[in-house]
Amino acid sequence: MSAGLLALFVAFGVLIGVLFGFFGMGGSFLVTPALLVMGYPSRVAVGSGLAFVFGTSVIATLKHRDLGQVDYKLGVSMIIGTTVGLEVGKEIVLYLEELGLAGNIISVTYVLLLGGIGLFVTYEALKGGDGGGVSHDVDGDADIDADDIPELAKKIQSYSLPPMITLRGGVQVSLWMILLVAFATGLLSGFLGVGGGFIRMPALFYLIGVPVPIAVGTDLFEIMFSGGIGSFLYAQSGGVDLSIVAPLLAGSALGARVGSAATSIVDEDEIKIYFGLMLLLGALAVAVRQAGNYLGMGVLDYVSLALILGSALMVSGAVLYSAVKSMRAPSTAGSSTAD
Amino acid sequence: MFGIETLGGNAQAAALVGVVLVEAMVLYVGYGALTAALSPTVRKAIGGE
């Protein structure tokens, strides 16, 4: 690997780390499309993406464990459903790869998923809601207020299909519903090579009604296992490339420190719209690459890569700019508690 | 890398995941120490104190 490529991976890792540290999710979903754009085989792009997610989530979980934001009962239940989903997702990728369709179908799924979530987050940010993101100021130990539970989650909680389990925050829900959500998100993790945080965290909140801080901490705990299992499954078939994962992780661990420090001094609502736009640009990047393949225009691959790197740079830059601006403002200069 | 390619199948896969795990823990501890050491200086510099 050339020094230039190594530096690119480390720098890309820093950008992703800032996003992950700040939003508690997102960022890792940029790795697999970037690797696909750079010409790595689907198996390596997905497998190395999962290994990177695994390493990043280990670091993030170590931090959230100290904050008491992990529901281990929910986490273990999720692991069971996710493991089955991951295995099914991996088999689908390997089957599609044999047919020569893996790259196209993964890319189209990415476009639809990233585009859909990007539209949702941008819409919520514009109307001033808090959907699709992470609130950093909620007490994770408090019982959840019934008014704070989304209507869909109340409906799902009303299905008393035994065994019922009680989660932190006083939420009671059927184990089968948890397993179903876990399977669906595991399937997407295995298929797309992502940790699934940007799908699973909202799913835990909107579908099961878990308080947001517990959803984030438990999600990270669960990603650690699903990422590890997914990495192992892909590594068995030569899908994990350490020369990709190691520099990405070295960069992201540093970026995550900066991103998590910024959470205590930056108003997330200011940034959320950039996050939504980044998801939309990510979707556009994959669509441009697909169009390039279809039209035989190699130059579109570079346009796509520039869009991915540019969108990550834009949101990371917005987080860092807001953090520095807040620190320099006289009213907030002495009030920060970030590490 | 790290001689892992000489291992076969499951052992190689487990070793790869193990290397990523060890790297993550080393980075967590290493960057944690670095952050603790440099954080006050960086805050002062950025905050203009």
Side-chain angles (χ1 to χ4, degrees):
Chain A
M1 177 180 280
S2 71
L5 192 56
L6 193 70
L8 177 72
F9 280 141
V10 173
F12 191 40
V14 171
L15 297 183
I16 291 171
V18 170
L19 300 175
F20 197 85
F22 188 80
F23 291 102
M25 63 176 186
S28 56
F29 59 83
L30 293 168
V31 172
T32 300
L35 294 176
L36 286 170
V37 166
M38 292 169 78
Y40 287 98
S42 303
R43 185 185 308 214
V44 174
V46 175
S48 300
L50 276 170
F52 168 71
V53 164
F54 167 62
T56 309
S57 62
V58 167
I59 295 168
T61 304
L62 285 170
K63 290 204 69 151
H64 280 261
R65 179 200 57 171
D66 298 337
L67 298 171
Q69 293 177 340
V70 180
D71 186 326
Y72 293 101
K73 196 172 10 175
L74 175 63
V76 170
S77 307
M78 292 288 290
I79 288 166
I80 296 167
T82 304
T83 305
V84 181
L86 269 171
E87 182 63 34
V88 175
K90 187 203 79 169
E91 289 301 325
I92 293 173
V93 170
L94 295 180
Y95 176 70
L96 290 173
E97 210 168 58
E98 277 178 21
L99 299 178
L101 296 171
N104 287 341
I105 292 182
I106 289 173
S107 296
V108 169
T109 310
Y110 254 113
V111 170
L112 295 177
L113 202 61
L114 280 185
I117 296 175
L119 279 174
F120 175 71
V121 172
T122 307
Y123 171 75
E124 289 287 330
L126 286 173
K127 87 171 187 189
D130 58 358
V134 178
S135 168
H136 297 291
D137 304 320
V138 184
D139 180 4
D141 288 325
D143 273 5
I144 190 167
D145 192 317
D147 292 339
D148 293 335
I149 301 176
E151 287 304 315
L152 188 54
K154 283 181 187 168
K155 180 84 179 163
I156 287 175
Q157 286 174 14
S158 70
Y159 296 127
S160 303
L161 190 63
M164 301 292 287
I165 60 173
T166 305
L167 307 175
R168 288 188 61 183
V171 177
Q172 202 173 45
V173 67
S174 167
L175 175 65
W176 295 107
M177 298 313 301
I178 295 172
L179 291 176
L180 192 64
V181 170
F183 173 79
T185 53
L187 185 69
L188 283 170
S189 293
F191 185 61
L192 299 176
V194 294
F198 70 103
I199 308 160
R200 193 181 298 109
M201 200 289 289
L204 282 173
F205 175 66
Y206 286 105
L207 300 181
I208 298 182
V210 178
V212 171
I214 306 293
V216 174
T218 308
D219 179 43
L220 286 167
F221 169 75
E222 205 272 330
I223 288 174
M224 191 172 71
F225 284 90
S226 60
I229 294 164
S231 308
F232 179 77
L233 293 173
Y234 272 92
Q236 284 175 319
S237 49
V240 174
D241 187 340
L242 273 185
S243 67
I244 297 169
V245 179
L248 275 175
L249 195 54
S252 78
L254 178 62
R257 288 267 169 192
V258 177
S260 61
T263 58
S264 64
I265 48 181
V266 175
D267 178 6
E268 190 190 356
D269 289 338
E270 288 178 13
I271 306 296
K272 204 181 286 174
I273 190 163
Y274 291 104
F275 186 64
L277 289 174
M278 181 186 69
L279 295 175
L280 287 172
L281 285 172
L284 180 64
V286 181
V288 165
R289 185 177 69 88
Q290 281 305 106
N293 288 347
Y294 182 73
L295 300 170
M297 294 172 64
V299 69
L300 290 182
D301 277 357
Y302 295 101
V303 173
S304 173
L305 187 58
L307 276 171
I308 288 177
L309 293 177
S311 59
L313 192 60
M314 175 190 73
V315 185
S316 306
V319 169
L320 295 177
Y321 174 75
S322 296
V324 170
K325 197 173 74 172
S326 300
M327 288 175 76
R328 294 190 81 90
S331 59
T332 56
S335 63
S336 147
T337 56
D339 58 0
Chain B
M1 193 181 276
F2 307 117
I4 289 173
E5 58 279 1
T6 60
L7 301 170
N10 288 344
Q12 188 183 55
L16 279 167
V17 176
V19 167
V20 175
L21 178 64
V22 169
E23 186 193 356
M25 297 183 86
V26 168
L27 289 170
Y28 177 74
V29 174
Y31 283 142
L34 196 65
T35 306
L38 298 180
S39 183
T41 312
V42 172
R43 282 177 179 282
K44 273 187 184 173
I46 294 176
E49 293 169 22

